[in-house]
Amino acid sequence: MEKKEINGHIHVRYQRPETSEAELKERAKAFFHEMNQRRTVREFDTRPVPVEVLENIIRTAGTAPSGAHKEPWTFCLISEPDIKSKIREAAEEEERISYSHRMPDGWKADLKPLGTDWKKPFLEEAPYLIVVFKQSYGIHEGEKIQHYYVSESVGIACGFLIAAIHQAGLVTVTHTPSPMNFLSKILNRPENEKPFLLLPVGFAKEETYVPDLQRKSLEEILVRY
């Protein structure tokens, strides 16, 4: 591998096969069509998924860019039924309070087409849960290491994670019970880590229905200059 010193630090030459204009167009179009099939799914088949699939999905999330390359994330992979049960119990308690007291009427009205409520059986039915924690700061040999753009970095990694789950042929639902501090306690995470996102992962049930929603058109989301 060709290397070069720049500003006192070793860099390696970036190499990627050249792609023709036709290939560029085809690959971009194919990836869009693949990702356009992605849907949020709340009904999971209980059949197992090979753990190496989940490991490679998380490896993919770990390729995301991050502020100053600090990689301020921790991915907790959970298959133990007792832990999943505890997470469901705690999440449903928070959701029950949210639906009855915290959420304004407008929010609940917006959620009605999605068919959601405080009950979260998928937290036990899915063969795996991935809990993503953001590291407010790092720790190395007992010393604090500053992290930068933590929420932005972890958000990008979660986008990679969701795309990798779909690409592998699995499904998920982004679950963010609020507050989520119970995840830190159940999983015994250190003080510098804060829960960011909870993702059940597995196969969709054979007969699964999702809301008949439409995504915004390109004209609605693109501004040209």
Side-chain angles (χ1 to χ4, degrees):
M1 181 179 292
E2 188 176 341
K3 298 182 179 182
K4 182 178 181 180
E5 185 175 309
I6 301 177
N7 296 327
H9 297 275
I10 298 298
H11 288 56
V12 295
R13 183 172 181 178
Y14 175 74
Q15 291 182 311
R16 186 175 173 87
E18 286 195 20
T19 305
S20 68
E21 182 176 325
E23 288 176 305
L24 284 174
K25 292 178 180 179
E26 181 56 36
R27 290 174 64 164
K29 183 178 179 181
F31 189 66
F32 161 68
H33 285 300
E34 170 67 23
M35 293 306 299
N36 198 36
Q37 297 178 60
R38 186 207 59 78
R39 293 301 304 265
T40 291
V41 172
R42 294 175 172 84
E43 298 181 45
F44 288 82
D45 196 308
T46 56
R47 60 182 163 139
V49 178
V51 69
E52 54 264 38
V53 174
L54 276 297
E55 291 170 348
N56 280 318
I57 284 170
I58 292 170
R59 283 192 178 102
T60 299
T63 69
S66 61
H69 192 56
K70 294 299 183 179
E71 302 174 288
W73 44 63
T74 300
F75 301 91
C76 295
L77 181 62
I78 303 150
S79 60
E80 175 57 47
D82 288 345
I83 298 178
K84 290 197 294 182
S85 179
K86 289 177 181 177
I87 289 175
R88 178 185 177 181
E89 181 180 359
E92 286 187 335
E93 178 60 26
E94 294 296 347
E95 292 288 79
R96 188 184 295 109
I97 296 171
S98 291
Y99 274 84
S100 61
H101 300 300
R102 296 180 184 135
M103 290 181 178
D105 291 339
W107 189 350
K108 288 186 280 189
D110 286 338
L111 289 174
K112 277 188 176 180
L114 306 180
T116 66
D117 58 28
W118 63 266
K119 299 175 185 175
K120 309 298 176 186
F122 50 74
L123 293 176
E124 287 189 278
E125 294 169 349
Y128 288 99
L129 302 180
I130 299 176
V131 182
V132 185
F133 286 85
K134 63 178 184 179
Q135 300 173 4
S136 303
Y137 55 89
I139 301 176
H140 181 68
E141 296 181 352
E143 298 293 325
K144 286 187 178 181
I145 305 297
Q146 186 170 355
H147 285 168
Y148 311 92
Y149 300 104
V150 173
S151 293
E152 295 86 346
S153 299
V154 177
I156 294 169
C158 287
F160 277 41
L161 182 65
I162 293 166
I165 289 169
H166 176 74
Q167 192 276 335
L170 303 174
V171 296
T172 189
V173 49
T174 52
H175 186 44
T176 53
S178 180
M180 292 196 288
N181 296 333
F182 64 87
L183 291 168
S184 299
K185 296 178 182 178
I186 292 173
L187 300 176
N188 194 30
R189 300 311 305 161
E191 181 65 26
N192 67 315
E193 294 184 2
K194 307 300 179 186
F196 189 83
L197 186 62
L198 170 56
L199 295 167
V201 183
F203 293 104
K205 283 185 177 179
E206 184 173 349
E207 187 172 343
T208 299
Y209 291 86
V210 295
D212 185 14
L213 303 177
Q214 300 298 318
R215 293 187 168 99
K216 290 182 178 180
S217 67
L218 181 64
E219 289 71 23
E220 292 175 288
I221 65 174
L222 172 64
V223 180
R224 303 176 190 270
Y225 291 91

